[in-house]
Amino acid sequence: MATPVDPDFRARLAALNEKFAATVPGTLVKIRAALNECQAGGEQPSQAALHQLHEVLHGVAGSAGTFGFTVFGQEARRVEQLVRAVIASHSGWPPVAPEVEKLLAWATRDAKATTFE
């Protein structure tokens, strides 16, 4: 395994960062699809739809920061926690959907941005 003293470490890390960056558009499509599924459920999405949305957000939250997408990961974690609360309480969906929309709009503009605006 590469270490910071390995001369190829930075090159390998850069390659992994580029590989992650290439997956971001597809990830945004998955988030959008999961959101659409949640919105198809009306006032309160099905637990299955919520779990699907939670899963994709959890994946972003857990990996984005590692590859230089720190704010994307932080915001995905924040929204993931909102979704988790809806799953637990079986209520409270309406204010969460706009937060997912904001995350998608921001990440579509620049998922590697250092501020969330």
Side-chain angles (χ1 to χ4, degrees), residues 83-109:
V83 173
R84 186 180 311 144
V86 173
I87 291 170
S89 68
H90 299 279
S91 65
W93 170 251
V96 176
E99 293 300 315
V100 179
E101 291 284 2
K102 282 184 358 188
L103 175 65
L104 285 168
W106 173 83
T108 298
R109 285 191 308 273

Side-chain angles (χ1 to χ4, degrees), residues 24 28 31 60 64 69-77 103 106-107 111:
V24 169
L28 296 178
I31 294 170
V60 172
F69 291 75
T70 305
V71 176
F72 186 29
Q74 291 169 344
E75 290 301 314
R77 174 78 65 215
L103 175 65
W106 173 83

